């Protein structure tokens, strides 16, 4: 449960970097980010927001009410401490960065992450999935004769899903490395061009 709270905190901080948002908008954006399998309720979001307010990671302001409602709307925005915490969380590299619960959220904010950190997280995720794939394939080979055709089909589907994600991660890693290799070449050619002009 604590890890889920940290994941929601990271997502909230990342979204509020784009600008202030009210609770409904935050929840809608978080649900899009988390995907259909992990719908976020207000019962999960608001305790996290309250905790983040107590920790001074975010602050709330009231926006004037609309003609339809008399109550002012509460809008959340990230504080300086929230910016620092977001940077700290995004720079962490370790097993929690590439676990199922956290990887998707981290990936959504990769644009604000250093390339070396992105590579380490992608490689960690790929290694973890490759280990999972090896384990599942061994189990599949052992249980193939013991399970009916539907259970075997479900196992095969699981293997194919993990294989597809491993290929996707490998493509991302290769693209990151390609961009890293191209960056020094382009800067050295710029320097060479400026020396000749």
């Amino acid at each position: 449960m604590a890890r889920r709270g940290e994941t929601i905190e990271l997502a909230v901080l990342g979204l509020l970097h784009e600008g202030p948002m009210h609770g409904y908008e935050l929840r809608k954006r978080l649900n899009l980010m988390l995907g259909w399998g992990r719908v976020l309720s207000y019962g999960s979001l608001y305790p996290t927001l309250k905790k983040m307010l107590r920790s001074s990671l975010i602050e709330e302001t009231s926006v004037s009410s609309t003609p339809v409602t008399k109550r002012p709307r509460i809008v959340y925005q990230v504080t300086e401490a929230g910016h620092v915490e977001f940077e700290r969380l995004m720079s962490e590299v370790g097993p929690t960065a590439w676990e199922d619960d956290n990887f998707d959220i981290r990936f959504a904010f990769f644009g604000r992450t250093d390339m070396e950190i992105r590579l380490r997280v992608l490689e960690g995720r790929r290694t973890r999935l490759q280990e999972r794939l090896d384990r599942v394939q061994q189990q599949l080979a052992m249980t193939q004769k013991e399970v009916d055709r539907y259970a075997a089909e479900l196992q095969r589907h699981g293997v194919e899903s993990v294989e597809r994600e491993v290929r996707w991660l490998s493509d991302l890693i290769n693209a990151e490395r390609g961009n890293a290799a191209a960056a020094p070449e382009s800067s050295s050619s710029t320097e060479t061009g400026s020396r000749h002009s």
Side-chain angles (χ1 to χ4, degrees):
M1 193 67 176
R3 186 179 292 178
R4 180 170 169 78
E6 289 171 11
T7 301
I8 295 169
E9 280 186 26
L10 175 63
V12 167
L13 289 172
L15 287 172
L16 290 180
H17 269 76
E18 298 171 10
M21 292 183 199
H22 54 83
Y24 174 77
E25 186 179 0
L26 267 172
R27 181 175 174 260
K28 189 169 74 172
R29 296 281 304 276
L30 284 166
N31 280 330
L32 284 172
M33 191 179 290
L34 291 169
W36 66 271
R38 297 185 285 170
V39 174
L40 182 70
S41 67
Y42 286 114
S44 298
L45 176 60
Y46 281 105
T48 301
L49 291 175
K50 295 296 180 203
K51 179 177 175 260
M52 293 174 76
L53 285 165
R54 285 192 305 273
S55 303
S56 300
L57 300 176
I58 60 172
E59 58 191 13
E60 60 183 17
T61 55
S62 295
V63 178
S64 59
S65 59
T66 63
V68 179
T69 62
K70 299 283 184 218
R71 283 178 37 190
R73 261 185 151 168
I74 302 294
V75 173
Y76 300 94
Q77 57 190 32
V78 70
T79 63
E80 187 56 41
H83 285 289
V84 170
E85 179 65 3
F86 178 74
E87 297 301 322
R88 185 190 70 75
L89 290 169
M90 289 301 290
S91 66
E92 282 183 354
V93 178
T96 57
W98 49 75
E99 292 296 336
D100 293 346
D101 290 347
N102 214 356
F103 176 75
D104 294 348
I105 299 298
R106 297 269 312 230
F107 188 81
F109 301 117
F110 259 16
R112 300 187 196 126
T113 308
D114 181 67
M115 188 201 61
E116 286 299 317
I117 292 170
R118 287 195 305 263
L119 268 172
R120 288 177 62 190
V121 171
L122 290 170
E123 288 168 346
R125 176 73 175 167
R126 182 175 64 179
T127 300
R128 179 60 46 91
L129 287 176
Q130 194 61 57
E131 290 167 359
R132 187 183 299 170
L133 185 60
D134 294 343
R135 209 171 37 251
V136 170
Q137 285 174 328
Q138 287 173 358
Q139 292 169 348
L140 187 60
M142 290 188 310
T143 60
Q144 198 89 44
K145 296 170 189 166
E146 301 168 14
V147 297
D148 68 21
R149 121 182 131 101
Y150 296 105
E153 192 61 30
L154 186 60
Q155 286 178 330
R156 188 182 64 75
H157 172 69
V159 167
E160 288 175 358
S161 297
V162 176
E163 286 173 338
R164 196 168 34 255
E165 188 169 350
V166 167
R167 281 192 304 273
W168 174 70
L169 289 164
S170 294
D171 290 345
L172 287 169
I173 290 166
N174 291 335
E176 287 285 342
R177 288 192 179 130
N179 289 340
E185 288 174 21
S186 63
S187 63
S188 63
S189 64
T190 306
E191 289 170 18
T192 306
S194 61
R195 276 197 296 256
H196 290 302
S197 38

